[in-house]
Amino acid sequence: MKIGIIGAGRIGQVHARAVAASPTAELSLIADPVPGAAEALAARYGGSATTDADEVINSDVDAVIICSPTPLHAQQVLASTRTGKAVLCEKPLAASVEEAEQLARDLEGLNPRVMVGFNRRFDPSFAAAKAAADRGELGQVEQVSIISRDPAAPPKSYIAVSGGIFKDMSIHDLDMARFLIGDIAQVSAVGLNMDPELADTGDFDGAIITLISADGKVATVTNSRHCATGYDQRLEIFGNAGSAVVDNLRPTAMALNTADVSAAREPYLDFFLDRYAEAYSLELDAFLAGVAAGTALSPSVRDGVESLRLAVACDQSARSGQVVQL
């Protein structure tokens, strides 16, 4: 399957690496408006390069992976679909709920094959926990706890166009919470401003979120833009018959015991490029398999719309101090 990528930045590089490693995909064309960016990525992983995203959309590739800035996502998804291509779009699906909903309406009747890039659904550890819950091994699921902290904040220039912490960072965890406990009926969020270096961004650098599902299950999400111990990624699914726990991954499982330390372990894997490398590959595999078989792709456009709706509700709750009903 011939793949085109729009966007040669950090996430574009992740997807290019996954495509290059896939036995069923070929990286054909990469677009990025920054001179030299697409050329550098093509030199590393194959394919041709251009500065014009429309060249990818109108090319003979079978599928497009959209890694461009968020404000371009909806229009590029629609344009790619209209040319008959399958699409894997990085989160968020659009810049606003209204734009995402309009995209969903515009896609009706086009036989769309669109998947939204919530790669953590494909992480082997998270998937194993979800499978245990689905098999009933935990009994009735009652609570979900998600911790996601970055080792350091992104540049202020990135934050300015990211849509804010809830759309940019928390949205992965909001999708995971909805994946685990179902549609959300109530949102409450507290935004934190703990990093003086980010005080002038107008955004929060941390958050505590409580989500209640339509049938009364509760999920909590803890986020921070900084974590001295590395990329902190943990999950617990708690039920009345047991729990499934996912701890942080480290380079090895070795623990050191000496006269000075007990159970000393290596730091967490440093960032998402390492922690979720396998998840991105498995996400691509699922996308390619679904497109080839003609089956429904998941996470779906609806998943993209609903996660964005949750992110907006979190921001509204954090800024107003009020619980938001959905």
Side-chain angles (χ1 to χ4, degrees):
M1 192 175 296
K2 296 172 68 175
I3 307 294
I5 294 179
I6 299 176
R10 186 170 63 185
I11 194 63
Q13 295 170 34
V14 172
H15 284 290
R17 180 175 65 183
V19 172
S22 171
T24 60
E26 173 192 347
L27 186 53
S28 178
L29 184 59
I30 305 168
D32 195 290
V34 177
E39 287 84 351
L41 198 56
R44 186 173 182 183
Y45 294 113
S48 302
T50 178
T51 57
D52 186 358
D54 287 342
E55 287 192 30
V56 175
I57 293 169
N58 295 311
S59 71
D60 64 349
V61 301
D62 302 298
V64 177
I65 302 178
I66 296 175
C67 308
S68 54
T70 296
L72 301 176
H73 285 184
Q75 67 191 64
Q76 290 175 345
V77 168
L78 183 59
S80 299
T81 300
R82 282 175 170 163
T83 62
K85 295 172 177 60
V87 178
L88 172 56
C89 181
E90 265 302 321
K91 58 77 188 171
L93 183 62
S96 68
V97 173
E98 293 75 18
E99 188 179 19
E101 290 176 333
Q102 183 61 54
L103 173 62
R105 290 190 292 269
D106 291 340
L107 289 172
E108 292 177 2
L110 294 177
N111 189 29
R113 297 171 295 164
V114 180
M115 179 173 166
V116 181
F118 289 118
N119 67 293
R120 294 181 191 177
R121 292 192 183 198
F122 301 93
D123 174 73
S125 297
F126 289 174
K130 173 71 159 60
D134 290 346
R135 290 192 299 266
E137 294 178 20
L138 313 183
Q140 177 65 37
V141 172
E142 300 173 357
Q143 302 170 358
V144 168
S145 300
I146 302 170
I147 294 175
S148 178
R149 300 184 178 109
D150 285 351
K156 290 183 182 180
S157 58
Y158 174 86
I159 292 175
V161 298
S162 69
I165 191 172
F166 296 112
K167 289 182 182 179
D168 171 51
M169 181 179 178
S170 306
I171 196 165
H172 275 295
D173 308 305
L174 298 172
D175 175 73
M176 180 58 63
R178 183 172 166 270
F179 186 49
L180 295 173
I181 68 171
D183 284 331
I184 305 302
Q186 182 176 300
V187 174
S188 177
V190 176
L192 305 174
N193 290 110
M194 307 299 290
D195 188 344
E197 293 296 319
L198 302 178
D200 60 351
T201 63
D203 190 23
F204 302 111
D205 55 66
I208 307 293
I209 303 165
T210 302
L211 308 163
I212 302 178
S213 71
D215 58 355
K217 301 181 180 71
V218 179
T220 59
V221 176
T222 301
N223 292 137
S224 179
R225 288 285 198 191
H226 58 262
C227 181
T229 53
Y231 192 40
D232 190 5
Q233 301 287 292
R234 287 175 279 165
L235 169 72
E236 181 190 43
I237 307 173
F238 174 83
N240 63 357
S243 64
V245 177
V246 178
D247 201 354
N248 282 294
L249 300 186
R250 294 171 169 84
T252 73
M254 187 272 291
L256 180 65
N257 300 292
T258 72
D260 300 314
V261 296
S262 297
R265 302 175 67 186
E266 294 172 285
Y268 310 148
L269 293 178
D270 188 56
F271 206 34
F272 78 94
L273 297 174
D274 300 314
R275 172 61 180 84
Y276 290 116
E278 187 174 4
Y280 280 107
S281 294
L282 293 171
E283 175 187 62
L284 178 66
D285 290 345
F287 174 67
L288 296 174
V291 172
T295 55
L297 298 176
S298 179
S300 65
V301 169
R302 179 173 181 261
D303 293 323
V305 173
E306 294 306 319
S307 64
L308 191 55
R309 195 188 313 280
L310 291 176
V312 171
C314 287
D315 189 71
Q316 179 183 346
S317 176
R319 296 185 186 282
S320 69
Q322 304 295 314
V323 173
V324 176
Q325 304 290 340
L326 298 174

